[in-house]
C-alpha cells in the first residue's frame, strides 16, 4: 500500500510518501513545496492544488493522510492552513483518492505509543521505522512521513 502523508500549510507544505508491504514500511519520497509570500493568495492555493495533483498522479497513493488543524494562536495562519486543507480535500476528491484526517496526538500515539511525544522522539522513530540513515529534513517533510506512517495504521 502506498500512502501520501501531508503536513498542510500555505507557505510550506510537507509531503511524505510511504510504501508499506507486510507491515514493513519504506520511504518512497518526501520533501516540501513552497509558495512565495509575494504571490496572490489565490495563486498560492492554486499552486498547492497543482503540486498535490502532480504528486498523486506520479505516485498513485491508495490513500492520503492529512493532519487535522490544531488550535492556533495566530488566527490568520489557522485560516490559511484551513484553506490549504480545503484544497487538499478537493484535489483528493477530484482524483478519487480517499482522505483520512489524523490529529497530531494520534500521529504521536501511532508512532511512539505516547500521544505527547516531543519532536525529537518523533523524528527518531521516523528514522528507525523507515530505516533512514539520517532524520528527514526539513521538519515539515519529517512530519508528513509521520502522518503517512500513522495513516498506514488507520
Amino acid at each position: 500500500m502506498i500512502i501520501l502523508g501531508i503536513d498542510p500549510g500555505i507557505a510550506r507544505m510537507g509531503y511524505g510518501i510511504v510504501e508499506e508491504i507486510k507491515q514493513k514500511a519504506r520511504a518512497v519520497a518526501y520533501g516540501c513545496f513552497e509558495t512565495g509570500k509575494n504571490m496572490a493568495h489565490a495563486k498560492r492555493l492554486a499552486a498547492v492544488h497543482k503540486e498535490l495533483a502532480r504528486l498523486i498522479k506520479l505516485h498513485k497513493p491508495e490513500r492520503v493522510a492529512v493532519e487535522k488543524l490544531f488550535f492556533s494562536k495566530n488566527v490568520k495562519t489557522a485560516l490559511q492552513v484551513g484553506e490549504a486543507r480545503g484544497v487538499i480535500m478537493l484535489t483528493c476528491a477530484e482524483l478519487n483518492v480517499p482522505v483520512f484526517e489524523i490529529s497530531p496526538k494520534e500521529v504521536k500515539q501511532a508512532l511512539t505509543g505516547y500521544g505527547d511525544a516531543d519532536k525529537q522522539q518523533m523524528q527518531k522513530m521516523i528514522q528507525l521505522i523507515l530505516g533512514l540513515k539520517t532524520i528527514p529534513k526539513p521538519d515539515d517533510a519529517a512530519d508528513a512521513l509521520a502522518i503517512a506512517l500513522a495513516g498506514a495504521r488507520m
Side-chain angles (χ1 to χ4, degrees):
M1 176 187 308
I2 296 175
I3 303 99
L4 168 58
I6 299 177
D7 183 20
I10 190 73
R12 179 187 293 167
M13 184 173 293
Y15 67 89
I17 301 162
V18 170
E19 182 177 36
E20 188 170 77
I21 300 172
K22 296 181 182 178
Q23 298 185 348
K24 175 81 172 138
R26 74 174 184 92
V28 174
Y30 58 90
C32 292
F33 48 93
E34 299 181 15
T35 62
K37 61 182 174 184
N38 294 330
M39 291 174 70
H41 188 66
K43 293 281 188 189
R44 293 176 95 178
L45 292 171
V48 167
H49 169 71
K50 182 178 177 181
E51 185 62 22
L52 181 57
R54 184 191 70 76
L55 281 174
I56 291 171
K57 290 173 183 174
L58 177 65
H59 295 285
K60 299 174 178 42
E62 294 169 52
R63 68 173 62 160
V64 172
V66 62
E67 187 175 57
K68 287 181 185 175
L69 186 58
F70 61 93
F71 176 75
S72 175
K73 292 179 184 173
N74 184 331
V75 174
K76 182 179 177 185
T77 300
L79 287 172
Q80 290 178 341
V81 172
E83 290 171 346
R85 288 185 78 254
V87 169
I88 293 163
M89 302 297 213
L90 174 64
T91 304
C92 292
E94 284 181 341
L95 297 172
N96 296 311
V97 182
V99 178
F100 294 85
E101 297 178 81
I102 188 164
S103 73
K105 194 175 242 355
E106 290 169 324
V107 172
K108 292 173 181 181
Q109 181 71 38
L111 267 65
T112 68
Y114 178 57
D116 291 321
D118 65 31
K119 196 168 245 345
Q120 290 75 29
Q121 289 170 313
M122 288 295 295
Q123 291 175 338
K124 191 64 180 168
M125 285 304 294
I126 294 162
Q127 182 184 10
L128 290 170
I129 292 169
L130 295 173
L132 301 172
K133 292 179 183 178
T134 61
I135 291 172
K137 298 286 182 198
D139 288 351
D140 303 277
D143 292 348
L145 284 170
I147 294 163
L149 287 168
R153 293 171 168 91
M154 295 179 76

